[in-house]
Every structure is written in structure tokens, then in C-alpha cells.
Amino acid sequence: MAFLSDSPRFKAGEMSSRAIALCLAALVAGVLTTFAYVGPQLPVRQAFLVGGATVGACFLLLYLVFEALIFREVNGIYAGLEHIKRKEFKKLSSRFLFRPEPLKRLRDEILDMAQRRQQEFEELNRLQALRREFLADVSHELKTPLFAAQGFVHTILDEEADDEDGMDPATRRKFLQKAAASLDALDTLVQDLVTISQLEKGVIRMRRQRFDLVALVREIFELLEQQAQKRGATLELFPPQLADDEMLVVADRNRIRQVLVNLIDNAIKYGRESDGHVLVSLTPGRQGVRVSVRDNGNGIAPEHQARVFERFYRIEKSRTRAAGGTGLGLAISKHIVESHKSTISIRSAVGEGTAMEFKLPRPKKQT
């Protein structure tokens, strides 16, 4: 009866659990005493009836006590748990309602909440680790172009101070160009950080419009043609007959252009050298167009595929930094595609190349 003694007050009245226990003991004792006094004077049949009535009365009393004290207190605890859930999750759970066993219901509810708390704790630890990794990465990415520009400028200043004639104009111009390139890279990185922050906060709104996706791909091919030639890569639109056709989609043209530039640029950089091949395929469906950008490079191992869309995540740090870029292109592309109610996926196998895919909606047919 320790649980009963722990109950502070009886909700249906002002009696404490101890007082109710004393009353129950007195009632059971009175019933048993009466039966013991009257029982020997009764016939066997009536004695059995009185005994049955006594058992029924004791059962009813015990049931009412358990119902009043234990079950009601448990229901009060459960109501408090539901109140907490309603405040935290903005939704009242009906999973454990209308079940006849409140103790089992309370146990299941506590275990369910404990499991959710454990998942939240693990997610917080994961986010904390990502935060530390992100701060380390962004510090390194900002430091690299900043220190490079600083070194070039200080070299020019030191040469001017040590030599009366100063540095020759050609060398000075070369150093200044390198410093300017480093500062441009720093500016690009900051702009990408601002863009991804605004996308995550929902500040940037997608300006959806009808436009020709084929024309956009041809425009990007012309933009990146020189870069592809330097790498010895070819750019192809599939199927070939699309070159003279039109394929309308509804999306933010500038943002989708940014996504395609990122994907095609990556396909050129990380495809094969001298015989690289970048294939952009547009596959129309009933409600949308599936866009795929494929290269014939080394591919991406399965353990890296889930993380390639993270900010600053690099599979081969030395190789990717040498290829340029801020490390934010795929993360920005992912946010832009998701803002269009779509998802970007990756299909890759080591030694067989990589394909990035997403879908865009087609304009509704006018009737």
C-alpha cells in the first residue's frame, strides 16, 4: 500500500488515502464479523448466499478504492503528460486514449516519451558535431584566400620599402592580380554563405515562371564550353532531337540556372580528363520533367554519397580545393531544388561516374 500512502489527496473528496484505508478496513471487518455472527445460525444455502454477498461487497470496495486512488491518480499523471506533449508538439496524441489499463497506458507513454527524448538527444549531439565541423571548415575556407591576398600585398609593400626603385611594374601587376583573385574568391565564398543562410531561413522566394528548359541548358553549355574544352570534356544534351524542340517548365529560371551551372561545372571538373563526357538528359513525364546531369568520372563511394550535399563537405580535400569552388555549390543546389517542392538525388558507382537528378513541374495544360 506504499503507492496509496504516496497519494497526496483524494480527488473526489477531502479524505486522505490513510483515512480511506482505515474506513475500508473497518467496513471489511464489520462485514466479516456480521457474517461470522449470523453465518452459523443460517442454513447452508443461505450461508453460501451471504458469503457470496460478502465477497462481492469486498470486491466492490477494493475495486472502488483502486479506481478512485490509483487509477485516477494515474489518469491525472497521464493528463499532465498529454499537456506537456500538446505544448511541445502542438498536437494531442490519441494513441493511448480509451484504453482500459491506465497503468500499462502510463508505462507505454513514458517509454514512448523516453524514446523521443533519446532521439532528440542524439540529434542534438549530431547537430553539435556538425556545427563544430562547419565552424572549422568556414574558418579554414575564409582564411585561405584572406592569407593569400594578405601575403601578396605585404610582399609588394616590403619590396617597395627595401628597394628605392621598388618592384618592377610587371611583377607588381602580377602580385596585385593574384591578390585580387584571392579577394574575389573570398567575396564569392561570403556571397555563397549569405545565399545558403537566406535559403535556409526562407528569405529568398522562388519567382516561378514558364520558361524553356532546353534553351537554358544550351545557354549553360555555351557558358561552360571553354572550361570543358580545357578539360577535354564534351557536353551533350539527350535526347538529341531536343536541340530544336521546346520543353516548358514552371520554376525560378535564375535559381534553376544556378543549380544546373553547379551540377554541370562539377561534372566537368570531376569527370575524366581528356576524354570526359557530360550528359544532360531531360525526360518529360506526366506532371514534370526529370533533369539528370551525368559524368563519366571516378564516381563516389557509398559512404560519401549521403554527405555530398553538406556544406564544405569534400571527398578528396586536396583535389577539390585545387579544382576551385567554395564547397557550397551542392548545398545551395539542394536548398533551391527543395524550395521547388522537389528533391535532388545522387546515383553513383565507383569507376562508373555520377548522376545528379531532380524534377521540375510542367505548366498545366489549358483547357
Side-chain angles (χ1 to χ4, degrees):
M1 300 298 290
F3 186 90
L4 295 178
S5 64
D6 291 338
S7 301
R9 306 293 291 175
F10 176 40
K11 291 186 176 181
E14 296 297 327
M15 297 179 64
S16 66
S17 58
R18 183 174 298 176
I20 292 178
L22 291 174
C23 291
L24 177 63
L27 288 172
V28 172
V31 172
L32 292 177
T33 302
T34 302
F35 175 71
Y37 177 75
V38 178
Q41 303 176 5
L42 296 175
V44 175
R45 184 176 180 180
Q46 294 182 358
F48 272 107
L49 291 175
V50 173
T54 303
V55 172
C58 292
F59 169 77
L60 183 61
L61 288 172
L62 290 172
Y63 177 79
L64 290 176
V65 168
F66 277 99
E67 178 68 23
L69 291 179
I70 298 180
F71 289 177
R72 289 191 183 185
E73 290 297 329
V74 169
N75 284 333
I77 296 173
Y78 178 71
L81 291 175
E82 288 289 354
H83 180 67
I84 294 173
K85 288 171 61 180
R86 183 185 301 180
K87 288 181 112 179
E88 292 184 356
F89 305 105
K90 309 298 182 185
K91 182 178 180 182
L92 181 62
S93 172
S94 59
R95 179 180 175 186
F96 298 100
L97 295 179
F98 309 112
R99 286 182 51 177
E101 311 92 349
L103 289 175
K104 188 174 185 303
R105 183 178 65 180
L106 180 64
R107 172 184 173 276
D108 292 343
E109 182 71 359
I110 291 176
L111 290 177
D112 185 66
M113 292 188 68
Q115 184 179 9
R116 288 199 302 269
R117 291 297 177 274
Q118 181 63 28
Q119 293 174 350
E120 292 173 2
F121 179 72
E122 293 174 355
E123 180 66 11
L124 287 174
N125 283 338
R126 187 184 72 85
L127 292 176
Q128 184 72 7
L130 289 177
R131 174 179 171 272
R132 289 194 297 266
E133 184 178 348
F134 171 73
L135 289 176
D137 287 339
V138 74
S139 299
H140 179 80
E141 296 293 339
L142 290 171
K143 179 178 66 176
T144 301
L146 185 61
F147 281 6
Q150 186 181 34
F152 290 130
V153 172
H154 278 292
T155 300
I156 295 174
L157 293 176
D158 291 342
E159 288 291 334
E160 294 288 342
D162 295 339
D163 191 354
E164 294 181 357
D165 297 332
M167 185 180 295
D168 65 276
T171 305
R172 184 187 301 109
R173 181 175 180 80
K174 180 180 177 181
F175 274 60
L176 288 175
Q177 287 176 341
K178 291 182 177 181
S182 297
L183 292 175
D184 289 341
L186 181 61
D187 178 68
T188 302
L189 175 60
V190 173
Q191 291 298 327
D192 283 350
L193 284 172
V194 171
T195 299
I196 198 170
S197 176
Q198 291 176 339
L199 286 170
E200 289 177 345
K201 293 179 180 178
V203 175
I204 297 178
R205 301 296 180 184
M206 298 297 116
R207 299 179 180 179
R208 290 174 172 81
Q209 58 181 329
R210 292 160 55 104
F211 66 91
D212 182 12
L213 189 58
V214 176
L216 178 61
V217 173
R218 290 203 304 264
E219 176 186 322
I220 296 173
F221 278 0
E222 293 177 1
L223 174 68
L224 300 177
E225 183 178 6
Q226 186 176 2
Q227 178 182 340
Q229 289 176 352
K230 290 181 179 179
R231 289 276 300 176
T234 57
L235 306 177
E236 180 185 354
L237 177 63
F238 182 85
Q241 61 267 25
L242 287 177
D244 300 323
D245 292 340
E246 184 180 60
M247 185 172 294
L248 296 179
V249 293
V250 179
D252 188 322
R253 190 181 191 277
N254 290 333
R255 294 299 174 183
I256 295 302
R257 182 182 186 276
Q258 185 176 4
V259 172
L260 288 173
V261 168
N262 282 330
L263 297 184
I264 298 173
D265 179 66
N266 282 345
I268 294 172
K269 287 178 180 176
Y270 307 123
R272 293 180 184 175
E273 294 188 36
S274 71
D275 61 344
H277 183 69
V278 178
L279 180 68
V280 179
S281 60
L282 306 178
T283 307
R286 181 176 300 178
Q287 297 180 344
V289 177
R290 181 168 58 87
V291 183
S292 174
V293 179
R294 174 183 290 275
D295 64 59
N296 62 342
N298 294 327
I300 301 174
E303 62 268 20
H304 297 294
Q305 293 181 17
R307 301 193 61 189
V308 293
F309 296 103
E310 294 179 8
R311 292 172 291 188
F312 297 117
Y313 185 77
R314 301 176 187 270
I315 299 173
E316 299 177 17
K317 295 184 181 298
S318 59
R319 178 188 173 192
T320 51
R321 284 201 173 95
T326 62
L328 296 172
L330 288 181
I332 293 175
S333 299
K334 176 177 179 290
H335 283 288
I336 292 175
V337 171
E338 289 178 349
S339 298
H340 285 82
K341 309 298 181 184
S342 182
T343 56
I344 185 168
S345 60
I346 178 173
R347 292 189 296 107
S348 183
V350 176
E352 299 181 7
T354 302
M356 300 281 186
E357 297 181 352
F358 62 94
K359 290 183 178 180
L360 293 176
R362 303 179 70 179
K364 296 181 180 179
K365 295 182 179 180
Q366 297 180 355
T367 57

